[in-house]
Structures are given as structure tokens and as C-alpha cells.
């Protein structure tokens, strides 16, 4: 009861009568578990003779964490000192500590609400008041569902809103924003509670209360008011349209933070009430609110502060409902009619300005004043949307430019005509001085490229960027060209020419350039057709020399032509003989770039083509059916130990692998199934070994075979789990089931081969833990596991935990043999993570020489596909000839994402070694790191203080790596340093 | 009424020899002191005899401010300070101070050594003049004297260009010099805060132009240069040594690097190398990109641009030459132009504005035959291109600046009269502020309404606060009662009691008395009680007493009712109130005049 008594004392001290409700608060349990903390604090504070000392104690106290149980005690002590303390800074610190403490997990903060509110009533210092309100805010956010408490807090906030200190008003508004409710208007008591406050009007809701402070004299309070309003909006309250005018006025505030918040406010309103009609000032016409606000936000793109400019430019991108003619004005700087005029005499206005009243600055003296135009219509500044993007794209700060480019992108995606209009501007951005902006505009152009066709002059500008020395830019541009439509055959020629130039200048771009030409050809067969003879340099009468087949440039041309020929059957007639030969060669060596062609008069190619096309193009469905059929066939097998069953499995695995090769869309699924089946096969085979019937001493030799099999199964299960994306819980559970089986097998083997119960005991315990964690993770999936190993195991679980290790082994052995294999159900789409190292190619015969002991940097360029979270999982492994291996973690910045599901890793690996006498090859490969604790089910990291008992403990998590790519050999030669 | 006077000595409805006199709050300031490119006689300098006929200028001017280093803004400075005579402070930014003497020396050399003029300022005079310069930092407020303060803002345009705010008390003037609202390859955009000056003096070179996006211009420029070079032609780009030249250099340099071009780019020597040196040093005055990347590579260290030698002009093959001066009126650019003008493969690109009377202006206007000195004529066959790279704000930029600064009045200088007229109309219409465009020597007077600061006694303030609404609102004026004491050159607002006490005066009571005649058939006492109930119902929150001696007292207002014997129905109501209750008293009298409710 001590705490209770203490509380009473405080109440009397503060001379505020408390309601009886306090007694009912259930959390008033007497807990003196850790008296040390509060007691120590108490003693410290008592010792403090002057405020500085007390502050020091509090500061050092604040650094240490406090357990949930002792929080309440500490709070009491703090409050006690709060009342005694006369120094403002100490009280301030105590107030802030209260807020901190009430954030502690597991502490019911509602019990200190009353105290905090009481202290508010007696507090004189403004700063401390503000801090106390902040504390209340923290408490309030902790208790979102206690309406009574919230209501009290809101009342307090309303009461203090009339404070003369800006900080207090700020905090009050913040509190209202975070906790206020709109559905319930503030009751009458609020107003009487507000005392002599001027508000005698009957019912006021939070919104109008907050909007009163839009005109506060302090800019910080104005900002806080807008932010509170935005906060209310975020919490799902409906904001009235009536504040639109106020918000618009705030756009011309003197302070940038107010303007910045106001821009957001206007944007929010435009999203809420896009279709309502607002009047245009100084005229009797009206426009849609979204158009009006669009014009206003456009205006902010030329604001004095770049923070506001960035914000305005960003928000513009999300205003999709705006009318098209307003949208198009944003790109037109010369059109200077105001909104009104634009609506009434759109065409006339356009003519007026097209007649050249304002000069473009391109020709001398074209700005000599001509006859005066109707000046009432010409409006240089208040024309809203006019030229907003032109300004944004020319801005001094690249942040603004990037924001503008992004906004352009998102607006262009929703409007085709706008996309065409903004094309010139985006193309111009390719010349920006900052690479980031250039890159961004290339990306944006790619994203909207479905809407547009490039003209020759535009293409010219675009292609000029191909000479850029930055690899990122070039590749982004290749990517862009893949998706671009061009208008004339000259464009194709131009593009080819520039790409070839690029190829000769930067040979490393080979793959990217070829791929680019593949799409270019496939997109424009009719444009390629007339230039084929020229491209292949054929002549109607004369034979021309056969080009060199290894020339990347020639291959590039062929890729273009062949891809065009795919949908243009007349084209092959123009080919010369060697072209057909080259086709056959390339079709085989670069099959991903060269499509199948129906070539006339080439029987054998044609027939193989039919076969290929049977699987290749038209029949994704049939391939899918085939996959399903094979799975059904396998699932029909009841017992894998029957003689024919294993053969069937083997054939199915072979079929599936082949299917994966033929049908790239299904490669992931097919591989996945094949691997799974292989696991089953291995397991069955392992179980069929004779060793189970043999006496223990005899089985050592056999043992080796089985234990390799088990290890293989384990490896494969990790691959299954982590290498494939798109898996669902059920599949993961199935994989885990197989893994458990493998582990059981391993356990049995250990038990049979090892003497001594102790070691087995440990393994047994571990195994049981695994089973438990399986149960925990896949509780919902258990119905699918009838008759399976796991199910049987779980049934036996009570017995297992009780019995001795040797009994356990016996039980496991029988269960293993009895259990049925689970049949795999395929999810929609499975992708196998894969990686290819493009560079180093491993073909070089020239060793990389460097002085031993020093480092040499090896450039690595690889593409990753379908790798989840590559920044953390992908590693580079370097294997030296002496068996040493290094694992290198690439920097997050080395990963680029050129497209969905694809990641490009361009990094440098530092090598070093002591001197060798001969050049030797090292192996470089990519690894996928995994840890079972971060498996897909528990991928969210637990907070540090969350209890760990619900999750698999760290020791049971297994960390490992999977080979992600083929190794590449690099010739290196460390030389001894010369003395 | 206090006023601000602005008199342009140069640049009034004209471009060239900027020189503007401002008188504000009893201070006289000269803004810029430039020369005119188009003249070679006395007209090239401002007419300083306007200020004083004879003698030195020191006693008439409080300070001189130079906005940037272009000669049309600082060319007459040594003449003014050393030959006419001025010893006061001259303010300019650090880069301007560094580069200005180089340009002045170059100018002097051309005029004295080449043209053989006498009676011109000497090198020593330039040095002496520079000794009087006080450097300014951006956004630094400098007190010229106790009352006059000036502050510089970034103006873009050229390295070190500044806009200046001049402030005396609460009156202020902003002079923009030349400025640019769109950033370019090496400089940022002009910026000013909402300083709400009384007058904004703005340049208006491009008053009627709204320029295309600068990117189009850049692309066009590069394309033209590239085409000519590929054709084997020579490109002459006349520039002023500093400013545009550096921007174009950066542009061409990066282009050359990107396109891997081999044709040489030359830059006329001497002056430029020194100037480029300063560009490397004053990195903080450049744009975001250059500021951020100079650690890796200073953009002003050019790889492809080499120094020019006179003999190179005759070399065969393509080349690009930057040569000074920019308007082809003299010097190296004119020499090269003469050499190359005959070949139609060549090209001259005029990247900026050309003053009337210069060769540049003539060829841009399409003259094919030029008269040279010594009666020789020159056929112009080469292509003449104009690329507006001039870093002046266009019409929209000027409007943007006005919106940023929110001035009360606008004054346009540094532009052609006709174009100014157009812009003036626009400004007056858009912002509804008055706009002026004085010619040279014409004075514009603007009446200001400066705020007078008054000390208010704290007691009075607190009393007012206690009386009135919830919070003081800074944006709403409020009336209050108080006594203004003007004593010992200071103004104080105190409560009347305190004022009386301080001045040793007795308080006089001032009462107003008013008679209201009313037809009322009741007796006097009844009438009075009816008045009492009436007032009670109207004035709910006031204290109203019915005193037994036949009076009603509302706050301090006394109401009595009398009637004469002959006309008992005509009641005369006597109202008497003190001066302090004037408001309530007049309200009551009008209320009672309306009569009582029956």
C-alpha cells in the first residue's frame, strides 16, 4: 500500500481533489521488485544541493534503461522531486524523463496521467509547461483506445492553447493533431474548462479550433497548426473544405516552413475535394478545386526557398485529376494568359503568343516591341501553372530538378498527350550537368516510352548520350532504346550507327548493345526491311566478302536484322548464303538474342524449327500441362520403394530439367520440382540401403554413402528454401519436412556410428527443438501433412521428449520408413535466383600482375536475377589456388537495379597474396548467404527488447552460403617486391 | 513627408554607364559608376557635374556601391574617385574587388596605348582607387555610418555580382545591378528575401523577352559550333573576358570531352588567365555543381582550352576562339573578325547584348558592308549567329524577383525605353504598385511612410493586454489610449496618469452634457424608471443603478429627467458623461433620441 499512500500525499500536496476513479485503476499493484533503482535515484536527488547537481544526476540516470516493473516507483520519486524543485531546468528535465519513462514497454502509463495534468495546473514556467505537454502527448499516443484519458488530454490542450508562449501553443496543437477527434465535437465542459477564454460559442470542433491558429503571430505556431491538421488527416479524419482559402493564403507566408506545410495542406485538400468548384478571385468565374490548387502549387515551384520548391515539384506529380489543359500549360512558358482568359478564349490566346510577342532569345532583335497587344490578357506572373516544369527543370538545385523530372514522369504516365509534350524537355535533361539528373531522366523516359515515338532530332540528342563515359548512363540508355519507338528508317540507321560507335569505344558494353538491338529490330521490322541490303552490305550482282563472324559489330547488325526478320517473312530473301550460315551459328551460340526464323528452302532448319517452336513460342500452356502431368504422375506413387517408382522419378527429374531449359518461363518451377524430387529420391535410396539391417560394426563403410546422401539432401533443401522466390508457406513447410527427415537420418547414423550417449543426447535435443520450431512455424499448414513424417513425429512428441536417446533413434527409424512422401503443390510463379558474372570473362591469357603483399583491384560485373534483398545476401567469394578463400561483402551502393527482378552488381574486389613463382588462376564466384533464422517467415527482425522465446533461438539458426554463379577463373601473378 | 530621390546619371532608359544617385533619409549614395561602350568622347562617363560643378564629390556622397565588375558598371570608377575626386568608401564584393582592377587596366591599355588618348586615368589611379574599396560579403550587413546600412545578396549574372539593399531607419532601397534568375553552367540564380523595400531599382535589359529553356539554347549553341567545326570552319565567339566566357568555356569543354573532338579551342590570353585564376579561387560564388565537385576537379581547370596567340588566327583548319571584347568594338575580337569575315565557312556567334554603335550591333542587324577606319570597307560573308547567353533576367525573371522582394515601388533602369514601357505597364497591372522609368538626369521622388518607433511603458502595455481579446495579433492594428511624450529626442507612450505626474500637471475633468427631448405622458419618476428598465434590457453587461435621488447611473454616466410645468409631456433628459466614456455616452444619447419603447 505504500505506493497508494504516497499517491494520497501528492494529491493533498497539489491540493487538487481527485476523482474516485483512481482507486479503480487495476494496475495499482504493489511491486517492490527492484527498489534499488528508484531508491538510488531518490538518494541521489536528495543529496543534490544545488540544481546543477540534480540536473547532473538526472542526466546520468536518463542514460540507463529502466525495467518496466520499477518504472512506476521511479516516476513517483521524480514527481516528488518535481514538486519540491524550484529550478526550471531541473523540472524540465524531470518532465522530459517522465515522457521517456512512459514509453517503456509494459508500463501502463495511464496511471501517471493525473499527476502530469496536476503538475500542469501548478506550473508557471512556459518551457516546463511545453515539456509537460510533450510528456502528455507521449502518454496519449501510448493509450490510443482510452477515450476518457484522451478526452481529458484534449481538454487540457484546449485550455493551454491561449498561452502566450509559442512552445506551449505548439505542443497543444501537436497534441490536438495527434489525439483530437472530429466525430465528437468538443463538449461544453471544454469551453467552461477553458475558463475565461473568449470562446463562448457553443460547440467547437478540433478542426476549427486548429484552423484559428493558422493566423497566429508566430510562424512556428502556424506551422504546428498546419501540421496538426495534416496529422488529423493522416489519422483518417475528414478535413473541411472551408480551410482551403486559409491554406492558400498561407502559401505566401514569409516563413519557409509555413509555406512548406501549407503546400502539403493545399495538396491534401485538392486530393480530398478535387471536383468542388471554387471562384477565381477578381472575376466571377469558377474552376475545379484541383485545377486551382494545381495552379497554386505550380506557382510554388518558383518559390524563394528550395525546400519548398522540392516539395511543390514532388507533389505536382501526384495530382492526376488535374485537367489536361492546365497540365499542358506547365510546359509552356510563353503562354501567359491567366486562367480566366485561357478558359474563355483559349485559341485566340494561343495565336496571340504564337505571333511572337515575346522573343525566344534565339534570334537577334526579334524582341523589338511590335504593336501593343491587349494587355488585359497578358499576365506575366499570376498565370498559375504556366511554365512550372520549365522552371523546375532549370532550377539551380539538382534536388528540385530531380523532383520535377519524377513528377513529369508520373504525370506523363497518366496522360498520353502530356507525355508527348514533355518529351522535348526530358530529352533536354539528358544534357544536365549532374549525372544523377541525367540518369533519372533517362529512366523516366524509359518508363513513359510506351506513350511516345521519338523523332529524328530527338533521337539524335538521345543518342549523343551514348558517348557518355559513365557506364550507368550508357546502360540506362540501352535500356531506354529497348523500349523506344522510332519513326523513320533513318532513325534506325542512326541508332545502329551510334550503337556501333559505342561498341567500338566501350567494348564492355557488348551484351547490353546486342540486347538493345534485338529489341530495336523486333520492334521495327518494317523500318529495318528497306535498309537490310545496306546493313548486310549485299549487292544485287556482285558477291561481297564474307564478314568476320567474330566481329562484335557484325554480330550486332545480324542481331538487329534477324530480330526484324522474325516478323517480316520477306526479309530472308535478301540474305546472302553466308548470312544463313551465320544465322545457324548465332542461333546456337546466342540463342537468347537470335530468334527462330522460318527460313525458306532450308528443310532441316525448318523441321527443327517446328519442333522448337512447338515448345518455344506458342505453347506455354502445354508446357504447363506437361509439368502438372509429371507431378500428378509422381504423386500417384504411393510407395517409392517399389522398383519401378525410382525409375519413374529419375525420368521425371530428367524431363523436368529439360523442360526448364526449353521453356524459360517455367524454368524456376521445373527446377524447383526436379530438385525436390531428387531429394525424395535420395532419401528413398538412403533408406533402402542395407545398412539398417546390418549389425552396427559392419556398417561403417556403407555409412559413408548414406551420410553423403543426407548431407546432399540438406544442402538441396537449403537451396530449395532460399534460392527460389515466390514460394508460399506450404512449400516451405514441405521443404522443412524433408529437411527434418534428412536430419533424422543423420541422427540415426550418428547414433549408430558413435559410441557414448552424451554426444547423441545433444544431437537428440537439437532435433527435438527443430521439430518444435517446425510445429510453431507451420501450425496452420499441418492439415496438409497427413501421414507425413512430421505429422507422425508430432503425434509421438510427448513420448519422444520423455524417452531415452536410443529409443528415440529407434522410433525415428521406423517412422522414417513408414512415412509417405509429401507431394508438392506448385505455386503460381517460382523464380530461381541466378547470377552471371559478365566480367572478368575468364578468357584472358595475360595474368594480372601486381606486387605481392599489396592489393590489386579486380573489377567484377555481374547480373543477378530474382535475388531477394541482394544488398545483404549476395557475397563475392575468391578462391586462391592454395585453398584459401575470402568472402567479400559488396557495398550496398554497388548494386543497381536496371529493371524489375534484375540487379546489376558492379564492384571491385581487392586481391592480395604473397609471391608466387608462376601465374595461377584464382576463382571468383558469387554466393548467396542465408541463415535459417531469417527465413521468410520470421524475416522481420525482432526488436531488441522483445522476448526471444517465441522465436527459434539463435543457436538453432544455420548460417550458410549457396553458390549462385559459375566460378570464373582469373589469371593472377603476384610478383615479389623489388628491393 | 520624408521621401527617397532617385536620379540616374547613366542607364536611365539606356544600357551602359550605369550610375544611379539615391538620396534616402538624408544620405546620398551612388550605385555603380560605369562607362558607355558606344561612345569614345565625354559621353562615355556619367556626368558628375550634376552632383557638383566644381570641387570634390566626397562631401556630397556618403558611399559608392559597385554591383559587379562589368565595365558598364565600374568603368568610370577611377575617373570619378581620382580625377573628379572622391575619398569616401567604395563597396563591392570580394570577387568584384579582385577582378575589377584587371578589367580597368585592360580598358585603360586599349584606350591610352592603342588609341593614344590622353587625359585618361593611369595605372596608379586604378591602384589608388582600389585602396578605397571596402569588401562586402553576401548577406553581411555593413554599417556605413550610424544610420546607413547596406547588405549584399547573390545576383548570379557574373562571378561576384550582387544586389544591394540600402537601408536608413525603416526606409530601404534595393538595387539589383545586373542579375539572372535562371542558373547557368557556372553560376546560381539570384535570390533575395522578402525585404519589402520602398523602391526596387531593377535592370530591364530583357524587358520584353521571355526566353526558352536554357537547355535548348545550350544545345543549339553546341550544335552550331559542332557543325561549323566539322565543316572545317572557324568559330569566333566574342565575349567579355569574364562572365559568359567562363560559362561557354565550361559548356564547350564538357562537350569536347564527351564528343571526343580534336579541334583546338583558344582563349585570348593575358587577361583571361588571370581571370580564370580568380574563378578557381571564388568557388563559393559559383553554382551547386561546381561547388560540390571542385574537390575532385576544379571545373575551371580546362583541359581542351588553350591560350591564344595572335599568329594562330591564320592557321588552317577548324578552331574555336573566344576573344574579347564582346561587342566587337575594339581589341582582339575585332582583329580576328576582320581576318575571318571574308570566308563564308566561318561563323561568329554573338552570345550577348550589343550596344548601338558597335560592330556587333551592326552585323547582327544584317549589315553586309562595314566601314572601317581609314575609309576601308569590309565585306561580311561569314555566318552571324546570335545566341542569347546574356545572363540577364528576362521579363518573367524580373517579375519573379518583384514577387520575391515585394517592393512598394518599382524603378526600371538599364534598358531601352520602349521595352521598359511595356514592362512598366505589366508591373503596374500585376502588382498594382507604381513603377518609374526616369531618363538620365531626371529625378524620381517617392514619398515614403516610415514607421516611427516609440517606447511604450510596460504598465500601459500590460493594462491594454488585460483589457483586450485573447492574444495580441501582430498583423492587426489596435487602438489604445495613451499619452505621447516627445522629450529629449525620444518618443514615449505612457499612460495619461503617468504623463500628468511627469509633467507636474493637474488632471482636468472634461464632462459632456447633453439634453434629449422626449415626449412621454408619464410622470418624471415613471419616465426615469422606464428609462432604467429600457437601458437594463439593452445594456446587459453594464452596471446600471437607479439611485433614489432621481438619477440613473450607467457606469459613470448620469441620467436625469426633468420637465417644465407648461409642457408636462415634454421630458428633457439630461445626460452627462466624462471624456473617458465618450463612446458609451454618445451611444446612450442616440439610443434615447430614438425614444423609449412603449
Amino acid at each position: 500500500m505504500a505506493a497508494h499512500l504516497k499517491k494520497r500525499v501528492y494529491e493533498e500536496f497539489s491540493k487538487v481533489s481527485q476523482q474516485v476513479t483512481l482507486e479503480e485503476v487495476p494496475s495499482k499493484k504493489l511491486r517492490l521488485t527492484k527498489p534499488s533503482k528508484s531508491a538510488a535515484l531518490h538518494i541521489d536527488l536528495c543529496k543534490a544541493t544545488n540544481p546543477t547537481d540534480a540536473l547532473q544526476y538526472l542526466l546520468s540516470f536518463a542514460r540507463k534503461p529502466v525495467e518496466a516493473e520499477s518504472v512506476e516507483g521511479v516516476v513517483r520519486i521524480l514527481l516528488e522531486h518535481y514538486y519540491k524543485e524550484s529550478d526550471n531546468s531541473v523540472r524540465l528535465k524531470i518532465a522530459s524523463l517522465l515522457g521517456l519513462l512512459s514509453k517503456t514497454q509494459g508500463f501502463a502509463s495511464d496511471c501517471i496521467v493525473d499527476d502530469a495534468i496536476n503538475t500542469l495546473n501548478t506550473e508557471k514556467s512556459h518551457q516546463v509547461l511545453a515539456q509537460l505537454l510533450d510528456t502528455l502527448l507521449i502518454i496519449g499516443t501510448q493509450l490510443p483506445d482510452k477515450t476518457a484519458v484522451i478526452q481529458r488530454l484534449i481538454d487540457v490542450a484546449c485550455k493551454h492553447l491561449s498561452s502566450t508562449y509559442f512552445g506551449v501553443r505548439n505542443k497543444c496543437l501537436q497534441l490536438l493533431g495527434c489525439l483530437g477527434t472530429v466525430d465528437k465535437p468538443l463538449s461544453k465542459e471544454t469551453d467552461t474548462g477553458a475558463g475565461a477564454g473568449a470562446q463562448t460559442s457553443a460547440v467547437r470542433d478540433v478542426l476549427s479550433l486548429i484552423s484559428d491558429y493558422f493566423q497566429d503571430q508566430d510562424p512556428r505556431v502556424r506551422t504546428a497548426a498546419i501540421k496538426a491538421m495534416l496529422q488529423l488527416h493522416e489519422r483518417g479524419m475528414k478535413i473541411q473544405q472551408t480551410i482551403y482559402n486559409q491554406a492558400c493564403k498561407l502559401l505566401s507566408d514569409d516563413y519557409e516552413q509555413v509555406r512548406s506545410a501549407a503546400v502539403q495542406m493545399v495538396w491534401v485538400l485538392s486530393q480530398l475535394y478535387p471536383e468542388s468548384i471554387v471562384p477565381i478571385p477578381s472575376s466571377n468565374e469558377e474552376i475545379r478545386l484541383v485545377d486551382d490548387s494545381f495552379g497554386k502549387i505550380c506557382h510554388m515551384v518558383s518559390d524563394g526557398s528550395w525546400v519548398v520548391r522540392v516539395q511543390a515539384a514532388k507533389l505536382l506529380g501526384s495530382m492526376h485529376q488535374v485537367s489536361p489543359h492546365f497540365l499542358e500549360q506547365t510546359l509552356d512558358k510563353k503562354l501567359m494568359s491567366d486562367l480566366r482568359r485561357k478558359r474563355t478564349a483559349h485559341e485566340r490566346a494561343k495565336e496571340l503568343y504564337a505571333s511572337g510577342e515575346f522573343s525566344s532569345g534565339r534570334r537577334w532583335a526579334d524582341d523589338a516591341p511590335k504593336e501593343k497587344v491587349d494587355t488585359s490578357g497578358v499576365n506575366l506572373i499570376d498565370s498559375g501553372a504556366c511554365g512550372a516544369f520549365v522552371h523546375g527543370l532549370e532550377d539551380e538545385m539538382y534536388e528540385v530538378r530531380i523532383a520535377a523530372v519524377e513528377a513529369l514522369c508520373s504525370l506523363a504516365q497518366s496522360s498520353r498527350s502530356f507525355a508527348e509534350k514533355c518529351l522535348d524537355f526530358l530529352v533536354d535533361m539528358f544534357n544536365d550537368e549532374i549525372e544523377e539528373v541525367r540518369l533519372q531522366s533517362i529512366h523516366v523516359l524509359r518508363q513513359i516510352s510506351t506513350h511516345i515515338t521519338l523523332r529524328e532530332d530527338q533521337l539524335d540528342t538521345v543518342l549523343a548520350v551514348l558517348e557518355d563515359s559513365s557506364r550507368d548512363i550508357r546502360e540506362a540508355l540501352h535500356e531506354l532504346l529497348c523500349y523506344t519507338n522510332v519513326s523513320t528508317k533513318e532513325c534506325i540507321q542512326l541508332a545502329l550507327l551510334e550503337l556501333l560507335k559505342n561498341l567500338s569505344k566501350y567494348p564492355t558494353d557488348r551484351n547490353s548493345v546486342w540486347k538493345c538491338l534485338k529489341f530495336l529490330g523486333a520492334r521495327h521490322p518494317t523500318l529495318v526491311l528497306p535498309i537490310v541490303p545496306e546493313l548486310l552490305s549485299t549487292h544485287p550482282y556482285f558477291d561481297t566478302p564474307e564478314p568476320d563472324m567474330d566481329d562484335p559489330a557484325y554480330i550486332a547488325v545480324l542481331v538487329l536484322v534477324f530480330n526484324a526478320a522474325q516478323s517480316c517473312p520477306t526479309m530472308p530473301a535478301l540474305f546472302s548464303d553466308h548470312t544463313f550460315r551465320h544465322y545457324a551459328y548465332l542461333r546456337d551460340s546466342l540463342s537468347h538474342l537470335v530468334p527462330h526464323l522460318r527460313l525458306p528452302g532450308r528443310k532441316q532448319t525448318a523441321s527443327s524449327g517446328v519442333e522448337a517452336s512447338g515448345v518455344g513460342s506458342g505453347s506455354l500452356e502445354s508446357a504447363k500441362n506437361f509439368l502438372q502431368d509429371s507431378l500428378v504422375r509422381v504423386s500417384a506413387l504411393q510407395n517409392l520403394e517399389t522398383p519401378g517408382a525410382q525409375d519413374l522419378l529419375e525420368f521425371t527429374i530428367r524431363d523436368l530439367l529439360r523442360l526448364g531449359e526449353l521453356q524459360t518461363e517455367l524454368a524456376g518451377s521445373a527446377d524447383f520440382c526436379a530438385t525436390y524430387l531428387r531429394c525424395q529420391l535420395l532419401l528413398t535410396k538412403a533408406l533402402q540401403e542395407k545398412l539398417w539391417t546390418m549389425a552396427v560394426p559392419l556398417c561403417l563403410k556403407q555409412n559413408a554413402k548414406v551420410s553423403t546422401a543426407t548431407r546432399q539432401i540438406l544442402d538441396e533443401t537449403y537451396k530449395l528454401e532460399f534460392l527460389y522466390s515466390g514460394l508460399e508457406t506450404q512449400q516451405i513447410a514441405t521443404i522443412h519436412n524433408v529437411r527434418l527427415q534428412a536430419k533424422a537420418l543423420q541422427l540415426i547414423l550418428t547414433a549408430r556410428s558413435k559410441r557414448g550417449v552424451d554426444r547423441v543426447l545433444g544431437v537428440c535435443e537439437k532435433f527435438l527443438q527443430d521439430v518444435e520450431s517446425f510445429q510453431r512455424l507451420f501450425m496452420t499448414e499441418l492439415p496438409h501433412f497427413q501421414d507425413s513424417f512430421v505429422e507422425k513425429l508430432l503425434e509421438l512428441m510427448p513420448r519422444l521428449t520423455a524417452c531415452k536417446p536410443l529409443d528415440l533413434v529407434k522410433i525415428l527409424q521406423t517412422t522414417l520408413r513408414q512415412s509417405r512422401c509429401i507431394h508438392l503443390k506448385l505455386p503460381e510463379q517460382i523464380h530461381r535466383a541466378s547470377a552471371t558474372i559478365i566480367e572478368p570473362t575468364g578468357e584472358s591469357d595475360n595474368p594480372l600482375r601486381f606486387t605481392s603483399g599489396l592489393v590489386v583491384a579486380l573489377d567484377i560485373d555481374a547480373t543477378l536475377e530474382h535475388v531477394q534483398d541482394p544488398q545483404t545476401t549476395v557475397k563475392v567469394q575468391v578462391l586462391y589456388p592454395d585453398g584459401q578463400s575470402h568472402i567479400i561483402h559488396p557495398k550496398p551502393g554497388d548494386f543497381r537495379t536496371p529493371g524489375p527482378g534484375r540487379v546489376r552488381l558492379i564492384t571491385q574486389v581487392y586481391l592480395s597474396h604473397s609471391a608466387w613463382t608462376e601465374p595461377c588462376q584464382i576463382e571468383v564466384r558469387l554466393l548467396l548467404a542465408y541463415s535459417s533464422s531469417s527465413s521468410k517467415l520470421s524475416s522481420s527482425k525482432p526488436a531488441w527488447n522483445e522476448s526471444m522465446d517465441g522465436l527459434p533461438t539463435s543457436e538453432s539458426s544455420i548460417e550458410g552460403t549457396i553458390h549462385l554463379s559459375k566460378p570464373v577463373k582469373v589469371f593472377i601473378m603476384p610478383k615479389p617486391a623489388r628491393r | 513627408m520624408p521621401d527617397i530621390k532617385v536620379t540616374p546619371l547613366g542607364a536611365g532608359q539606356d544600357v551602359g554607364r550605369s550610375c544611379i544617385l539615391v538620396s534616402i533619409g538624408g544620405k546620398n549614395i551612388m550605385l555603380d559608376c560605369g562607362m558607355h561602350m558606344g561612345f569614345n568622347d565625354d559621353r562615355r562617363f556619367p556626368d558628375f557635374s550634376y552632383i557638383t560643378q566644381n570641387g570634390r564629390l566626397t562631401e556630397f556622397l556618403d558611399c559608392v556601391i559597385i554591383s559587379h565588375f562589368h565595365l558598364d558598371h565600374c568603368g568610370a570608377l577611377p575617373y570619378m574617385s581620382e580625377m573628379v575626386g572622391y575619398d569616401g568608401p567604395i563597396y563591392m564584393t570580394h570577387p568584384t574587388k579582385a577582378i575589377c582592377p584587371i578589367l580597368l587596366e585592360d580598358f585603360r591599355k586599349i584606350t591610352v596605348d592603342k588609341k593614344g588618348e590622353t587625359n585618361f586615368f593611369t595605372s596608379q589611379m586604378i591602384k589608388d582607387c582600389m585602396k578605397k574599396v571596402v569588401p562586402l560579403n553576401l548577406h553581411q550587413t555593413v554599417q556605413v555610418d550610424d544610420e546607413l546600412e547596406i547588405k549584399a545578396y547573390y545576383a548570379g549574372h557574373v562571378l561576384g555580382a550582387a544586389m544591394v539593399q540600402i537601408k536608413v531607419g525603416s526606409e530601404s532601397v534595393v538595387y539589383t545591378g545586373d542579375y539572372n534568375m535562371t542558373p547557368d553552367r557556372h553560376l546560381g540564380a539570384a535570390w533575395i528575401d522578402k525585404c519589402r523595400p520602398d523602391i526596387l531599382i531593377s535592370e530591364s535589359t530583357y524587358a520584353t523577352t521571355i526566353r526558352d529553356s536554357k537547355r535548348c539554347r545550350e544545345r543549339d549553341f553546341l550544335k552550331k559550333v559542332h557543325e561549323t567545326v566539322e565543316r572545317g570552319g572557324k568559330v569566333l565567339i566574342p565575349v567579355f573576358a569574364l562572365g559568359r566566357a567562363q560559362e561557354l568555356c565550361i559548356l564547350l569543354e564538357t562537350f569536347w570531352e564527351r564528343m571526343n573532338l580534336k579541334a583546338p579551342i583558344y582563349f585570348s590570353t593575358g587577361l583571361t588567365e588571370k581571370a580564370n585564376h580568380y574563378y578557381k579561387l571564388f568557388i563559393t560564388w559559383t553554382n551547386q555543381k561546381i561547388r560540390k565537385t571542385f574537390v575532385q576537379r576544379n571545373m575551371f581547370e580546362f583541359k581542351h582550352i588553350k591560350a591564344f596567340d595572335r599568329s594562330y588566327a591564320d592557321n588552317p583548319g577548324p578552331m574555336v576562339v573566344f576573344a574579347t571584347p564582346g561587342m566587337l568594338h575594339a581589341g582582339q575580337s575585332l582583329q580576328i573578325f576582320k581576318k575571318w569575315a571574308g570566308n563564308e565557312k566561318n561563323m561568329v556567334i554573338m552570345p550577348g547584348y550589343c550596344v548601338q554603335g558597335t560592330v556587333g550591333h551592326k552585323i547582327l542587324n544584317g549589315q553586309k558592308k562595314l566601314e572601317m577606319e581609314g575609309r576601308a570597307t569590309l565585306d561580311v560573308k561569314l555566318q552571324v549567329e546570335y545566341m542569347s547567353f546574356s545572363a540577364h533576367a528576362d521579363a518573367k525573371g524580373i517579375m519573379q524577383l518583384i514577387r520575391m522582394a515585394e517592393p512598394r515601388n518599382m524603378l526600371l533602369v538599364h534598358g531601352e525605353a520602349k521595352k521598359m514601357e511595356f514592362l512598366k505597364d505589366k508591373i503596374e497591372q500585376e502588382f498594382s504598385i507604381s513603377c518609374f522609368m526616369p531618363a538620365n538626369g531626371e529625378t524620381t521622388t517617392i514619398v515614403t511612410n516610415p514607421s516611427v518607433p516609440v517606447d511604450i511603458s510596460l504598465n500601459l502595455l500590460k493594462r491594454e493586454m488585460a483589457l483586450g481579446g485573447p492574444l495580441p495579433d501582430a498583423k492587426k492594428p489596435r487602438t489604445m489610449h495613451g499619452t505621447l511624450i516627445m522629450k529629449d529626442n525620444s518618443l514615449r507612450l505612457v499612460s495619461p496618469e503617468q504623463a500628468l505626474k511627469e509633467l507636474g500637471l493637474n488632471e482636468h475633468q472634461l464632462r459632456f452634457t447633453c439634453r434629449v427631448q422626449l415626449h412621454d405622458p408619464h410622470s418624471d419618476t415613471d419616465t426615469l424608471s422606464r428609462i432604467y428598465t429600457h437601458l437594463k434590457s439593452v445594456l446587459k453587461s453594464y452596471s446600471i443603478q437607479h439611485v433614489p435621488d432621481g438619477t440613473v447611473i450607467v457606469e459613470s454616466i448620469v441620467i436625469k429627467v426633468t420637465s417644465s410645468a407648461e409642457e408636462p409631456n415634454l421630458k428633457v433628459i439630461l445626460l452627462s458623461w466624462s471624456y473617458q466614456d465618450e463612446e458609451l455616452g454618445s451611444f446612450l444619447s442616440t439610443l434615447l433620441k430614438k425614444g423609449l419603447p412603449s
Side-chain angles (χ1 to χ4, degrees), chain A residues 165-182:
Chain A
Y165 181 63
F166 79 93
V168 179
R169 273 178 284 154
N170 247 352
K171 287 289 170 211
C172 288
L173 286 168
Q174 214 176 332
L175 221 153
L176 286 178
C178 289
L179 304 174
T181 47
V182 184

Side-chain angles (χ1 to χ4, degrees), chain A residues 254 302 304 336 357-359 361-362 364 367 372 379-381 393-394 398-399 428 431-433, chain B residues 182-183 185 191 194 196 208-210 213-215 219 258 288-289 365 386 388 403 422 425 430:
Chain A
D254 281 10
S302 48
M336 290 188 299
E357 204 236 329
F358 289 100
S359 102
R362 284 195 200 179
W364 166 254
D367 55 343
K372 241 187 190 157
N379 193 328
L380 278 176
I381 182 165
L393 294 177
E394 279 192 345
Y398 82 94
E399 291 90 340
D428 279 348
N431 275 327
D432 197 274
E433 63 243 48
Chain B
T182 42
R185 288 273 167 164
W191 182 87
K194 254 185 203 161
R196 298 190 174 93
T208 55
T209 306
I210 290 187
S213 139
K214 65 162 186 183
R215 292 174 200 285
R219 213 177 52 203
R258 255 176 54 185
Q288 192 193 19
K289 154 92 176 170
N365 280 320
Y386 170 69
S388 172
R403 190 159 72 97
F422 170 82
D425 285 351
E430 297 280 333

